[in-house]
Each structure stands twice: as structure tokens, then as C-alpha cells.
Amino acid sequence: MKSAYIALAALDRTLRNTNVSAATVQGFPLDHAALNDTVRMLSHGQFAPDQAQDWQDQILAASNAQISAFTPD
């Protein structure tokens, strides 16, 4: 779930960059509070008690890599 969310959020961010797409792109809502609540609900007290979130940093890194690799047709 984490890797899919990061990949989709990065793609949404990339497509909202006006250097990549001139069209308005409707992605999924980036409701980080709801996502964090979901992650906490899925955590296990013994096997995964600490769910520190570094997702935003990973989203930015992935999106920045996509934007820098973009070449217009």
C-alpha cells in the first residue's frame, strides 16, 4: 500500500507541474491525515509498533526525479 500510494502521489504531483502537463489533471486527494490514520489502523503493536511517516519525502523525491527526466515531445 505504501509503495503504491507514493508512486501515485508522485505521479499526481508530476502531472500538476506546468512544465510537464499544460492540462488540468485531477488526481486523488492528498489527505495525509486520513492516510496516517489508515496506516495507524493497520499497524501491529508487536511487529510494527512505530509507523513513522517519511512518505512525503519519498513522494517529493520520486516526483522530482520524474520531472527532471521529462522531455517534451
Side-chain angles (χ1 to χ4, degrees), residues 29-43:
L30 298 175
D31 187 350
H32 297 292
L35 175 66
N36 287 336
D37 289 343
T38 302
V39 170
R40 277 191 290 279
M41 287 183 347
L42 296 173
S43 66

Side-chain angles (χ1 to χ4, degrees), residues 1 4 8-9 12 22 25-26 31 33 36 41 45 48-49 51-52 57 62 65 68:
M1 181 177 94
L8 290 172
D12 276 356
V25 177
Q26 294 295 326
D31 187 350
N36 287 336
M41 287 183 347
Q51 295 295 324
D57 293 338
S68 66

